Amino acid sequence: MSATGGTLPRSRLLGRATVNAVVALSVLYTLLPVLWLVLAAAKNRDALFGSDLLSLSDFSFPSNLGDLLAMDGGQYGRWYANSLLYAVVGAAVGALAGVACGYAFDKYAFRHKEKLFGLVLAAVMVPQTVLALPLYLMASGTGLVNTFWAVFIPVLFNPFGVYLGRIFSRGYVPDEVLEAARMDGAGELTAYVRVALRMLGPGLVTVFLFQLTAIWNNFFLPMVMLSDQDLYPVSLGLYAWNSSASVSPEYYPVVIMGSLLAVLPLILAFVLLQRFWRSGLTAGSVK
């Protein structure tokens, strides 16, 4: 009896230690590249290729930031504005469309509903890179290649957002509330906008954050669609500069500084909206 009693606490301690070790390794794996990026952004070009990256000498953060904003006539500022336009506006419109479609799949009965939703689930599993060529051919046929719309329109429609929208609608919007709204004389659009959409707020924010992250990190589609550098997002612009760094090493510090600034909007969005997406991720877990 005593041997069994001594074995259980020991196994629990061993399991807890294993879990803590895995969590610690995961944290290090996540934070070490970010730490390197922060330290490297504060170094000049010579220090980047030296062995004193962790030292406090050669602090060049202000000069690197100034060089970044002045490089190629302030091209980075245009790329940053493009990314904000693509990502923020695209994620907002895409989240509204995805949640509305998910709500329709959840609350309405129509012909071949489950078959259509099966197509949505199948589309979730299709890699975006596979769709780049068909989208390019469609954009070429309509004369949209190398325009803002060639990148903006495709990111508005995300099947994963439709799937999440249905899950959130099922978890947040009771059918009884909608029936009460209809009995009070509200139409379907009014019931959705004034009643359901307010309940879907956390889910809408969650879909928005997923969309924002995907669009902000979007690289392959702009590379296929765009040749005008003034239309580039940050990811594609930094890639172009990094490709030039092998010939012009002065691009290395600005690429690193630009990469550091490029992650700030995502961090800011998750920090400001965390109370919404935390509750959104638990949609449907408790009835």
Side-chain angles (χ1 to χ4, degrees):
M1 189 73 177
S2 60
T4 304
T7 304
L8 287 177
R10 187 179 303 173
S11 62
R12 288 178 181 176
L13 289 176
L14 181 61
R16 187 175 300 174
T18 303
V19 171
N20 290 337
V22 172
V23 171
L25 290 175
S26 301
V27 171
L28 288 175
Y29 179 80
T30 303
L31 294 183
L32 283 179
V34 179
L35 178 62
W36 184 94
L37 185 62
V38 173
L39 294 175
K43 299 295 181 179
N44 57 32
R45 188 181 66 190
D46 296 332
L48 283 177
F49 299 99
S51 58
D52 56 346
L53 188 63
L54 297 178
S55 68
L56 298 178
S57 60
D58 301 317
F59 186 79
S60 304
F61 193 93
S63 62
N64 288 343
L65 181 59
D67 293 341
L68 172 67
L69 298 179
M71 182 66 70
D72 292 348
Q75 192 76 279
Y76 185 80
R78 286 192 287 271
W79 294 340
Y80 212 89
N82 291 340
S83 286
L84 288 175
L85 187 59
Y86 291 137
V88 177
V89 179
V93 176
L96 288 171
V99 170
C101 291
Y103 171 84
F105 272 113
D106 178 46
K107 300 303 180 186
Y108 298 119
F110 49 89
R111 191 176 182 183
H112 303 308
K113 174 175 133 176
E114 295 304 326
K115 293 180 180 179
L116 291 174
F117 191 69
L119 291 177
V120 172
L121 294 180
V124 172
M125 295 181 284
V126 177
Q128 294 299 311
T129 52
V130 175
L131 301 177
L133 181 58
L135 288 173
Y136 175 81
L137 295 176
M138 293 171 63
S140 177
T142 54
L144 295 179
V145 173
N146 200 31
T147 66
F148 165 81
W149 303 106
V151 177
F152 183 73
I153 293 177
V155 302
L156 298 180
F157 306 99
N158 182 9
F160 187 60
V162 178
Y163 167 74
L164 290 180
R166 185 175 186 178
I167 298 299
F168 293 136
S169 177
R170 185 173 298 173
Y172 279 115
V173 185
D175 294 336
E176 295 80 5
V177 175
L178 295 178
E179 288 298 329
R182 295 185 184 110
M183 290 179 64
D184 288 340
E188 294 299 327
L189 182 60
T190 302
Y192 173 70
V193 174
R194 294 189 177 182
V195 179
L197 195 58
R198 295 183 180 182
M199 296 179 177
L200 289 169
L204 189 65
V205 171
T206 304
V207 176
F208 171 80
L209 288 175
F210 277 112
Q211 287 273 82
L212 180 71
T213 303
I215 299 172
W216 187 269
N217 295 326
N218 194 12
F219 170 77
F220 194 68
L221 180 64
M223 184 177 67
V224 171
M225 293 291 188
L226 302 177
S227 59
D228 185 1
Q229 287 198 1
D230 290 339
L231 297 174
Y232 280 6
V234 168
S235 57
L236 185 57
L238 290 177
Y239 171 79
W241 276 357
N242 189 58
S243 300
S244 302
S246 57
V247 179
S248 304
E250 66 270 11
Y251 280 105
Y252 280 119
V254 297
V255 168
I256 294 174
M257 176 61 73
S259 300
L260 177 61
L261 296 184
V263 302
L264 295 182
L266 297 181
I267 296 175
L268 185 63
F270 273 87
V271 169
L272 294 178
L273 301 174
Q274 60 177 328
R275 67 187 183 95
F276 295 102
W277 66 264
R278 279 181 179 177
S279 59
L281 289 178
T282 61
S285 62
V286 179
K287 288 295 288 181

